[in-house]
Amino acid sequence: MESWTYRIPLIPNDAVTYILLYVPAAELLAVHRLVCRQWKEIIDGPTLWKKKCQWEGFIPKTIRRSPKSWKVFYVLSSLKRNLIRNPSAEENLDGWKIISNGGDKWRIEDLPGDHGTPHPEEHVNKYFVTSFGKCEKEQIIDLNAEGYCSELLDNINPAIVVTDWYAARRDCGSKYNILVQLLSGSLEVLHEFCPKTVVIEQWSDACWRKMTHTFKNYGHGVRYVRFNHAGQDTQLWKGWYGIRVTNSSVVVEPETLT
C-alpha cells in the first residue's frame, strides 16, 4: 500500500501578521513564538510590532526616525504610565510610607490653597503640605511587578524619568528635598538623584516648580525605584505653612522618535 504525506500549506505571512495583531504581547512572546518557524520569524521581526504600534497609536505624527527595535518600542509604549500611586493626593495618603511626620503632620489641601497659585496642569486639584517639623514620605516601586522584566531592564536600560512639583506659600519660607534611588533586587543603592535642599524665602511668588531627572545607561541589576521627598517651613509656625508637593511621577520611557 502506497504511503503518502499531506503537507498543510503555509498561511501567507501577511495573513498571519494580521491575526497576531489581536494577540497580547506577553502571549506572543511566551506562547505563539513557539508554534512554528514561520510564526517565530514573524514575531521576531519588525513588521508585526510596527503594525501594532500603528494600530494602538504609539507612533507620533512627526516621526523623524525609527526605533532601534519596534518590539521593544511597542512593549515600553504599552507599559508606559505613572508608577507612583496616588501622586496628587486624591486618595489622602494612601500608597505612601510616612518616614517623618513632624510638627502638625502631613495634610491634604485643595489647590490653590491659602497664599498659593493654581497648578500649571489643570487635572491637578490637590497637594500634600508639610508643617513646622520635618515631613517625609516615600514609595518603593517594584519594576518587575509593574511588568518590566529583568532582561528588558538590563539589556535595554530604558530611560526612567522622575518628576516632582513643589511650591511654597507666599507668606512663609520653606524648604524642599527629593531623593530618588535605583535599587538592586536586594535593595542596594546602584544610582541616585539627590540635589541640594531647595530653600524658598518668605514672600516668594508661590509658583509651582518642577524638579525632574532622567536615569540612563544605568547598567545591570536595577529592580526597584525609591522615590522620597520631604520638607517643612523655615519659620516654625504652627499649622501647615511648609512646602507643598504634588503630581509626582516615575515613568519608564520608550525611545523618542521625534
Side-chain angles (χ1 to χ4, degrees):
M1 183 174 179
E2 183 179 356
S3 62
W4 56 277
T5 301
Y6 178 73
R7 293 183 178 275
I8 301 175
L10 286 177
I11 302 174
N13 282 359
D14 287 349
V16 175
T17 299
Y18 181 78
I19 293 168
L20 295 179
L21 283 174
Y22 292 87
V23 180
E27 293 183 22
L28 288 173
L29 297 171
V31 180
H32 294 75
R33 187 174 175 273
L34 306 178
V35 169
C36 64
R37 180 180 296 177
Q38 181 194 25
W39 286 29
K40 180 180 184 298
E41 291 175 352
I42 291 173
I43 293 170
D44 286 348
T47 303
L48 169 65
W49 299 101
K50 182 176 181 179
K51 287 182 179 294
K52 285 178 77 68
C53 288
Q54 292 171 331
W55 203 27
E56 298 189 30
F58 294 152
I59 303 178
K61 294 180 180 179
T62 56
I63 182 172
R64 293 185 178 180
R65 63 180 184 83
S66 296
K68 296 175 183 176
S69 166
W70 281 107
K71 178 168 64 175
V72 171
F73 181 80
Y74 174 83
V75 170
L76 290 174
S77 296
S78 62
L79 288 172
K80 181 180 175 180
R81 65 200 185 281
N82 186 1
L83 301 178
I84 292 285
R85 182 185 169 193
N86 186 25
S88 303
E90 294 292 345
E91 302 171 59
N92 199 16
L93 285 162
D94 288 357
W96 293 93
K97 179 181 180 181
I98 304 301
I99 308 299
S100 300
N101 221 359
D104 286 322
K105 304 181 179 181
W106 283 100
R107 183 163 113 153
I108 311 302
E109 293 182 352
D110 294 325
L111 277 157
D114 293 340
H115 294 272
T117 60
H119 194 277
E121 299 184 11
E122 293 182 358
H123 70 277
V124 181
N125 299 307
K126 296 177 182 291
Y127 58 83
F128 305 94
V129 59
T130 60
S131 188
F132 60 87
K134 182 180 181 181
C135 294
E136 179 182 2
K137 60 186 176 69
E138 72 177 25
Q139 294 187 28
I140 296 181
I141 299 163
D142 183 337
L143 294 172
N144 286 165
E146 296 292 345
Y148 298 92
C149 68
S150 299
E151 181 181 5
L152 179 68
L153 294 168
D154 290 345
N155 296 336
I156 304 301
N157 281 187
I160 300 175
V161 181
V162 177
T163 301
D164 200 23
W165 289 83
Y166 64 94
R169 293 171 57 115
R170 286 193 181 93
D171 62 344
C172 186
S174 61
K175 57 184 179 180
Y176 162 81
N177 290 95
I178 183 171
L179 168 67
V180 185
Q181 298 172 324
L182 302 187
L183 309 177
S184 70
S186 60
L187 301 184
E188 175 189 358
V189 177
L190 302 178
H191 302 274
E192 71 175 21
F193 171 62
C194 185
K196 293 181 180 179
T197 299
V198 176
V199 178
I200 302 175
E201 301 295 336
Q202 187 182 28
W203 306 119
S204 70
D205 59 12
C207 288
W208 287 91
R209 289 173 170 81
K210 182 165 68 171
M211 180 73 73
T212 187
H213 179 75
T214 301
F215 291 97
K216 297 180 179 179
N217 302 317
Y218 41 79
H220 287 60
V222 172
R223 300 294 179 266
Y224 297 90
V225 179
R226 172 182 281 126
F227 182 100
N228 176 295
H229 57 191
Q232 64 184 93
D233 81 57
T234 57
Q235 292 166 245
L236 303 180
W237 290 355
K238 182 173 175 57
W240 296 273
Y241 292 84
I243 203 72
R244 299 164 170 182
V245 292
T246 194
N247 202 26
S248 311
S249 66
V250 173
V251 180
V252 181
E253 293 278 1
E255 285 181 69
T256 301
L257 306 184
T258 55

